[in-house]
C-alpha cells in the first residue's frame, strides 16, 4: 500500500485523512483573517498619510522617526532624518512584524493555513520532504527571542502614545475621548500578548535547576505561565486591536468620524 505522502517515517495510509469532522474550517478561517490583515496592513504601511489625528497616532506609524512625519507625530524625535523618503511606517514595522511572524503560535497557524504543512492534525500534507526549521530560511525563526525584546520596547512606546491621548487637540492634559480608550485597549492587549510569549516564559523562568532557590522568578514564571496558556487568544485579540486602532485613527484623520469626548 502506498501512502499519500512518501516522506520517511510517515504512516502508510492511503486516505489523505481518516478524520470525518470539519477539520478544514480552522485553517480556512485562519487563512482568510490573516490574508485580510496582511492586505490591510500593507496598504496602510505604504499609504503614508492619515495616520495622525491629534492627539492620536496610529500604531502602524509609531514611533514616527522621519522628518517627513506628520507635524506633531514624532514624540520620540526624527532620528531617521530626512534621508528616509519612503513611508515612515516601513522604518519600524520590521519589529512588530518580525515578532508576529516568528511567534510560535502564528508559525503553527500559518504553516497550517498557508503552507498546509500539515493543514490539520492527522491530515496528510502535500509536501514530499520535511526539514522542519533546521535550514534557511526557516532557521531564522529562532530570532523570535530578539524580537521579543524589541516588542517590549514597542509596548512602552504605544502605552505612551495612549497616555498622550489624554490631551486635547491643543496639547492640554485632562481630556479623554473614544480614541484614548481605543489606544489604551490596544496597548494593553499588545502588552498581554507580549508577556504571554513563550520566549518571555523562558526568559523569566528558564534555565533554572531549582525554583526553590529563585522564589521571585518562580512567582513571575507562574504569572507568565497563566498568560501563556491563553497566548493564542491574545495573539488574535491584539491583531484585531492594532488594526482597529489604526482604522480608527484613519477615520478621524479623514474626517469620516468625529472622536466622541468623555471629558
Ligand atoms: Fe507568540 Fe512569542 S510565542 S509572541
Amino acid at each position: 500500500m502506498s501512502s499519500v505522502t512518501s516522506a520517511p517515517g510517515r504512516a502508510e495510509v492511503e486516505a489523505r485523512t481518516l478524520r470525518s469532522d470539519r477539520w478544514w474550517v480552522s485553517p480556512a478561517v485562519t487563512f482568510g483573517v490573516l490574508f485580510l490583515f496582511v492586505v490591510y496592513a500593507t496598504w496602510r504601511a505604504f499609504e503614508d498619510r492619515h495616520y495622525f489625528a491629534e492627539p492620536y497616532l496610529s500604531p502602524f506609524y509609531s514611533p514616527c522617526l522621519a522628518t517627513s512625519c506628520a507635524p506633531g507625530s514624532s514624540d520620540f524625535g526624527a532620528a531617521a532624518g530626512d534621508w528616509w523618503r519612503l513611508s515612515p511606517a516601513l522604518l519600524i514595522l520590521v519589529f512588530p512584524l518580525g515578532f508576529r511572524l516568528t511567534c510560535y503560535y502564528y508559525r503553527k497557524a500559518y504553516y497550517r493555513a498557508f503552507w498546509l504543512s500539515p493543514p490539520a492534525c492527522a491530515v496528510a500534507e502535500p509536501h514530499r520532504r520535511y526539514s522542519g526549521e533546521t535550514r534557511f530560511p526557516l532557521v531564522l525563526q529562532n530570532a523570535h527571542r530578539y524580537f521579543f525584546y524589541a516588542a517590549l520596547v514597542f509596548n512602552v512606546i504605544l502605552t505612551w502614545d495612549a497616555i498622550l491621548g489624554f490631551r486635547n487637540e491643543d496639547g492640554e492634559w485632562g481630556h479623554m475621548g473614544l480614541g484614548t480608550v481605543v489606544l489604551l485597549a490596544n496597548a494593553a492587549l499588545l502588552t498581554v500578548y507580549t508577556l504571554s510569549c513563550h520566549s518571555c516564559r523562558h526568559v523569566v523562568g528558564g534555565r533554572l535547576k531549582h525554583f526553590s532557590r529563585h522564589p521571585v522568578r518562580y512567582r513571575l514564571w507562574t504569572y507568565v505561565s497563566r498568560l501563556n496558556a491563553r497566548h493564542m487568544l491574545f495573539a488574535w485579540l491584539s491583531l484585531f486591536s492594532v488594526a482597529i486602532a489604526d482604522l480608527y485613527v484613519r477615520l478621524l484623520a479623514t474626517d469620516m468620524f468625529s472622536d466622541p469626548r468623555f471629558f
Side-chain angles (χ1 to χ4, degrees):
M1 190 192 303
S2 68
S3 66
V4 172
T5 61
S6 60
R10 296 299 170 89
E12 294 284 324
V13 178
E14 186 68 40
R16 187 173 174 223
T17 182
L18 299 178
R19 287 180 65 166
S20 55
D21 61 335
R22 294 196 293 169
W23 56 265
W24 47 269
V25 170
S26 175
V29 171
T30 303
F31 176 87
V33 176
L34 285 183
F35 181 76
L36 287 176
F37 179 82
V38 168
V39 170
Y40 175 78
T42 305
W43 167 61
R44 282 294 284 145
F46 281 92
E47 192 182 30
D48 195 11
R49 56 192 180 132
H50 309 316
Y51 56 82
F52 185 57
E54 188 91 44
Y56 309 127
L57 175 62
S58 159
F60 286 178
Y61 284 79
S62 182
C64 208
L65 298 176
T67 46
S68 62
C69 290
S73 64
S74 295
D75 286 306
F76 294 88
D82 54 11
W83 62 271
W84 184 260
R85 302 284 176 190
L86 303 174
S87 165
L90 302 177
L91 264 175
I92 48 124
L93 274 187
V94 62
F95 298 105
L97 185 69
F99 185 51
R100 240 167 237 273
L101 210 59
T102 59
C103 163
Y104 287 84
Y105 165 66
Y106 279 116
R107 273 142 77 172
K108 171 189 142 188
Y110 66 76
Y111 286 168
R112 287 185 175 188
F114 286 79
W115 193 238
L116 309 177
S117 180
C121 286
V123 179
E125 60 182 285
H127 310 288
R128 298 205 160 262
R129 286 186 303 134
Y130 176 76
S131 61
E133 295 174 333
T134 57
R135 295 191 205 148
F136 183 83
L138 292 185
V139 73
L140 295 179
Q141 303 279 32
N142 287 308
H144 184 64
R145 72 198 75 168
Y146 304 110
F147 284 119
F148 163 71
Y149 295 121
L152 290 176
V153 175
F154 271 70
N155 288 336
V156 173
I157 292 171
L158 294 183
T159 302
W160 176 245
D161 286 342
I163 291 171
L164 293 180
F166 285 97
R167 301 178 308 176
N168 64 9
E169 294 80 359
D170 300 321
E172 295 160 341
W173 291 94
H175 299 263
M176 184 178 178
L178 181 57
T180 319
V181 177
V182 169
L183 292 191
L184 278 174
N186 180 49
L189 285 170
L190 285 172
T191 300
V192 177
Y193 168 57
T194 308
L195 294 180
S196 67
C197 167
H198 294 67
S199 291
C200 179
R201 191 164 175 259
H202 179 72
V203 166
V204 168
R207 290 176 168 271
L208 294 180
K209 284 209 170 79
H210 307 283
F211 269 139
S212 56
R213 291 193 198 147
H214 303 272
V216 174
R217 289 185 66 182
Y218 175 67
R219 179 57 59 93
L220 291 174
W221 178 82
T222 58
Y223 292 147
V224 171
S225 295
R226 260 181 244 159
L227 292 177
N228 181 254
R230 293 187 167 75
H231 189 57
M232 180 180 86
L233 175 67
F234 298 136
W236 285 111
L237 290 180
S238 60
L239 188 85
F240 292 132
S241 75
V242 78
I244 289 170
D246 172 77
L247 180 62
Y248 188 81
V249 172
R250 192 180 191 282
L251 290 176
L252 297 182
T254 52
D255 289 328
M256 292 177 73
F257 189 71
S258 143
D259 187 42
R261 288 271 160 169
F262 304 130
F263 56 84

